[in-house]
Amino acid sequence: MKFMVSDAAQKWYQDNLELEKGDGLHFYGKVYGKTNVHDGFSLAFIKEKPHNPYYVKQIDGINYFFSDNDIWFFSGYDLQIDYDPAIDSPKYTFIEED
């Protein structure tokens, strides 16, 4: 389980959420929607500082993370976060772990 965040996606988060060093983005699974590997659940995030996260990827002082409660959603997958200019939003792709 790991996050890969492209430079373009990171810039989108910083510009749109006014992220500063020390801030965090908590990613989690929510009911409704779908991902490329989950049917009935989609990916959500909230800006908050990490408190005992299960996994953290820090890039330029920003903490991208999920907690123990979210393991079920990320287990067995890596999350690739990129930016899609066609919709001016991040794009999320789950990839099976090796």
Side-chain angles (χ1 to χ4, degrees):
M1 291 180 263
K2 63 184 175 188
F3 290 173
M4 295 162 280
V5 184
S6 73
D7 292 342
Q10 182 182 346
K11 181 175 179 354
W12 185 91
Y13 287 124
Q14 288 176 326
D15 292 349
N16 288 278
L17 301 175
E18 300 176 358
L19 296 175
E20 299 177 1
K21 288 187 179 187
D23 284 342
L25 278 182
H26 178 186
F27 290 89
Y28 59 95
K30 69 174 187 168
V31 176
Y32 302 115
K34 65 186 278 186
T35 70
N36 63 303
V37 296
H38 303 95
D39 195 21
F41 297 93
S42 60
L43 183 71
F45 64 85
I46 186 169
K47 179 181 170 180
E48 65 182 9
K49 294 189 187 296
H51 301 285
N52 299 318
Y54 181 83
Y55 172 85
V56 177
K57 167 91 174 192
Q58 189 176 81
I59 303 172
D60 292 338
I62 307 299
N63 299 290
Y64 299 85
F65 70 97
F66 65 89
S67 70
D68 290 348
N69 294 336
D70 308 309
I71 293 171
W72 67 272
F73 192 72
F74 296 99
S75 183
Y77 299 101
D78 294 333
L79 176 60
Q80 183 175 355
I81 305 171
D82 204 353
Y83 171 73
D84 184 344
I87 58 173
D88 187 28
S89 183
K91 177 182 176 181
Y92 307 102
T93 306
F94 287 87
I95 302 165
E96 283 192 52
E97 287 180 313
D98 291 331

